[in-house]
Structures are given as structure tokens and as C-alpha cells.
Amino acid sequence: MEKKQIQNQGMEVKAIWILKALLCSYFVTGILLLLLTFLLYQFGLDEGKITAGIMVIYVLSTLVGGFVAGKLAKTRRFLWGILIGVLYFLLLLLISFGIYRGIQEGTSQILITWLLCIGGGMIGGMIS
């Protein structure tokens, strides 16, 4: 009975780690998107630069989330970073699906975004 309680508490702690890391990722996303919006307004950036900026935001945001998850977990940091990258991507996909009632990007673009999110999270976890 006690062993089951300890396992449940461990799972709750890990869930809180994940939520904290995801919250940090989305906080960084919000700030960087505001900065990108400001740059778009000030300099009239073209579509290619905006797309590149969004990709950089994905990587930096998941890197921060992976870093936070790695610091909290202290073991298997890169796996925690990968998990944060996957969850970040899935949440992006769900938000996109909810707003546009479908997925507007091509398969290659979705795959690239998935790889960027996982890679950013993994590197963040590794450097933590």
C-alpha cells in the first residue's frame, strides 16, 4: 500500500515537472512571438524571414523547456527534453487544428517542425 502511494507521488512530481517545463516553453514562445511581431511591424519582414523566425522560436522554446525538464529530472535529461519537445509539438498541432479546423501545412513542413521541436528539447535536456 505504501509503495503504491510513493509511486503515485513520484508520478505527480514528474507531471508537475513536465507542466513547469511546458509552461516555460510557451512563455518563451509568447515573448519571442511578440518580438517577431514587433520586428515585422518595424521592418516589414517578408514571408521567408517570418517562417525562419518561427522555426527559430520553436527551437529556442523547446530548448528552454528541455533545459528546465533536465534540471528538474537530474537523470535521463535528454529523454525528458525529447518528451518536452514531443508534447510541445502535439500542443502546437492541437492548437492549429482547433483554430483552423484542420492542418494547413504540408507533410514535409509538419515533419520538419516535429524534428525541430524534438531536437530543441533534446539539446536543452542535454545541456542542463
Side-chain angles (χ1 to χ4, degrees), residues 35-102:
L35 177 64
L36 187 62
T37 303
F38 174 75
L39 293 173
L40 172 65
Y41 178 73
Q42 287 296 319
F43 302 110
L45 302 175
D46 61 10
E47 186 177 342
K49 290 179 183 168
I50 295 296
T51 302
I54 289 172
M55 295 295 178
V56 168
I57 289 171
Y58 291 157
V59 172
L60 291 176
S61 297
T62 53
L63 190 129
V64 168
F67 185 83
V68 170
K71 282 290 185 190
L72 293 172
K74 296 184 176 122
T75 59
R76 298 186 201 155
R77 295 173 184 179
F78 75 99
L79 288 176
W80 286 103
I82 289 173
L83 178 65
I84 295 303
V86 168
L87 292 175
Y88 181 91
F89 172 77
L90 290 176
L91 200 53
L92 276 178
L93 208 59
L94 283 173
I95 290 169
S96 247
F97 192 76
I99 291 173
Y100 299 115
R101 305 282 186 245

Side-chain angles (χ1 to χ4, degrees), residues 5 8 13 19 31-32 35 37 55 79 86 102 117:
Q5 273 185 327
N8 285 343
V13 168
L19 289 176
I31 295 213
L32 292 176
L35 177 64
T37 303
M55 295 295 178
L79 288 176
V86 168
C117 290

Side-chain angles (χ1 to χ4, degrees), residues 13-23 80 83-84 87:
V13 168
K14 290 176 184 175
I16 290 172
W17 291 347
I18 291 169
L19 289 176
K20 283 181 182 180
L22 281 174
L23 203 70
W80 286 103
L83 178 65
I84 295 303
L87 292 175

